[in-house]
């Protein structure tokens, strides 16, 4: 469940959000493990502006 929420909340390089969502949704255990080890590294780092 954590991985699905994390995929939906972040942007990814090469617009792979849909791909990661489908992998985690249809292969719950293996997809989640793969996302945790490789997918999180492909997220776009956001820079927050502090005013």
């Amino acid at each position: 469940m954590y991985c699905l929420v994390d995929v939906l909340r972040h942007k990814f390089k090469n617009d792979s959000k849909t791909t990661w969502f489908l992998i985690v949704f249809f292969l719950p255990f293996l997809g989640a493990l793969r996302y945790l080890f490789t997918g999180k590294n492909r997220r776009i780092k956001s820079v927050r502006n502090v005013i």
Side-chain angles (χ1 to χ4, degrees), residues 29-41:
F29 182 71
L30 295 175
L33 284 177
R34 182 165 179 128
Y35 174 73
L36 290 173
F37 287 110
T38 62
K40 289 187 91 169
N41 296 332

Side-chain angles (χ1 to χ4, degrees), residues 9-26:
R9 294 182 78 196
H10 293 93
K11 292 184 180 183
F12 292 84
K13 298 175 186 173
N14 299 329
D15 290 332
S16 61
K17 179 184 277 197
T18 305
T19 305
W20 278 115
F21 181 82
L22 292 174
I23 290 171
V24 173
F25 185 79
F26 286 113

